[in-house]
Amino acid sequence: MKISTKLMAAVAALSMAAPAFTPVASTVVAHAAVITATDAKANAEQAAKDQAQVDANNKEAAKIAGEKWTGSMTSSNTSSSTSSSTKKSTTSSSSSSKTSSSSKTTTSKPSTTKKTTTSTTKKATTTAKKSNFRLSYKGVAVTKRAASLYSINGANLAKTSKTLKKNTAWKITALVSLNGVDYYQVGTNQYLSSKDASFRRTGTAHVNYNKHYGIQIWTATHGFVKNANGSAKKLPGQTNWKVFGKAVINGSTYYNLGGDQYIDAAYVTVK
């Protein structure tokens, strides 16, 4: 019992002499708080440095690209995109304007060409109608219907009271062309219109020429007769053709092949 009392007194004395004790948990929390604040400051400083580097990089990139630095990467990209869009829009507008202009030019040219072509055609037709001539001609004309006879004095044509019966044949001594219409002389100042009659075949012409070549076909006014493609129309050598009379053109004899087509008698034999 006495021992217990002594022990208790010793314990009490030790308790009074021991230094103040700070709980371990409290110390750890305080230290963690200090570390956290330090890290946050360091992180903020590092973030600021990183942003400064990013801005510097963007500024240098903008300088190289020749664009004005706006101080923000997002803003720079937006500006660049807007600029690009504007350029594209301008280019598109310019292209559209050019296309429109080209379209107008294209529309204008064909119109001018048509007018010119029409005008040229009309002039050519008018010229053909005014090309009047007279040829000495030997042949036979057969009437298609009851046909009136005409008198011709210079370029003046007059209808007479005389007519020829249908399907009758008449010798021709001359061919006169007035305003694009041929008239066949069948008597003294008596002419039959080519609209009312046709030539009768008078023989067959053999082309006395090398078979690998040909002879030119001419018009009554000694012009070239041409094919549809514009090339000269010719009769191959060693071939035979029907003829419908003969005429004197520029002092030489030519055989008529039908219509306004003639061949030089010097290169053929007619039977």
Side-chain angles (χ1 to χ4, degrees), residues 152-220:
I152 297 176
N153 294 296
N156 299 315
L157 180 71
K159 190 175 183 178
T160 69
S161 58
K162 296 181 179 181
T163 60
L164 299 178
K165 293 182 180 181
K166 180 181 178 180
N167 294 327
T168 54
W170 303 86
K171 288 183 178 181
I172 302 169
T173 58
L175 183 153
V176 177
S177 182
L178 290 176
N179 301 320
V181 180
D182 291 341
Y183 295 88
Y184 311 139
Q185 186 172 11
V186 294
T188 303
N189 204 16
Q190 295 180 333
Y191 296 86
L192 175 65
S193 173
S194 58
K195 294 180 179 180
D196 299 323
S198 59
F199 286 136
R200 173 182 285 177
R201 179 182 175 183
T202 56
T204 300
H206 176 75
V207 181
N208 301 317
Y209 214 69
N210 189 314
K211 65 179 180 180
H212 298 296
Y213 299 94
I215 61 173
Q216 178 63 47
I217 301 176
W218 305 87
T219 66

Side-chain angles (χ1 to χ4, degrees), residues 39-225:
D39 289 345
K41 183 178 180 181
N43 290 341
E45 291 177 351
Q46 186 61 45
K49 289 181 180 179
D50 292 343
Q51 183 59 47
Q53 184 60 50
V54 169
D55 287 347
N57 291 342
N58 287 334
K59 186 175 181 180
E60 183 63 24
K63 184 178 179 181
I64 293 173
E67 297 177 354
K68 185 178 180 180
W69 169 242
T70 60
S72 170
M73 184 170 72
T74 304
S75 176
S76 176
N77 288 342
T78 304
S79 175
S80 177
S81 176
T82 303
S83 176
S84 176
S85 176
T86 303
K87 287 181 180 179
K88 286 182 180 179
S89 176
T90 305
T91 305
S92 176
S93 175
S94 175
S95 176
S96 176
S97 175
K98 287 181 180 179
T99 303
S100 176
S101 176
S102 176
S103 177
K104 287 182 180 179
T105 304
T106 304
T107 304
S108 177
K109 286 183 178 179
S111 176
T112 305
T113 305
K114 280 187 176 181
K115 288 182 179 179
T116 304
T117 304
T118 304
S119 176
T120 303
T121 303
K122 286 183 178 180
K123 285 182 179 180
T125 303
T126 303
T127 302
K129 287 184 178 180
K130 291 181 180 181
S131 181
N132 302 331
F133 59 85
R134 180 187 179 91
L135 297 177
S136 173
Y137 193 100
K138 290 184 178 181
V140 177
V142 179
T143 55
K144 300 176 183 178
R145 60 185 71 86
S148 298
L149 291 178
Y150 298 85
S151 63
I152 297 176
N153 294 296
N156 299 315
L157 180 71
K159 190 175 183 178
T160 69
S161 58
K162 296 181 179 181
T163 60
L164 299 178
K165 293 182 180 181
K166 180 181 178 180
N167 294 327
T168 54
W170 303 86
K171 288 183 178 181
I172 302 169
T173 58
L175 183 153
V176 177
S177 182
L178 290 176
N179 301 320
V181 180
D182 291 341
Y183 295 88
Y184 311 139
Q185 186 172 11
V186 294
T188 303
N189 204 16
Q190 295 180 333
Y191 296 86
L192 175 65
S193 173
S194 58
K195 294 180 179 180
D196 299 323
S198 59
F199 286 136
R200 173 182 285 177
R201 179 182 175 183
T202 56
T204 300
H206 176 75
V207 181
N208 301 317
Y209 214 69
N210 189 314
K211 65 179 180 180
H212 298 296
Y213 299 94
I215 61 173
Q216 178 63 47
I217 301 176
W218 305 87
T219 66
T221 54
H222 209 252
F224 287 111
V225 173

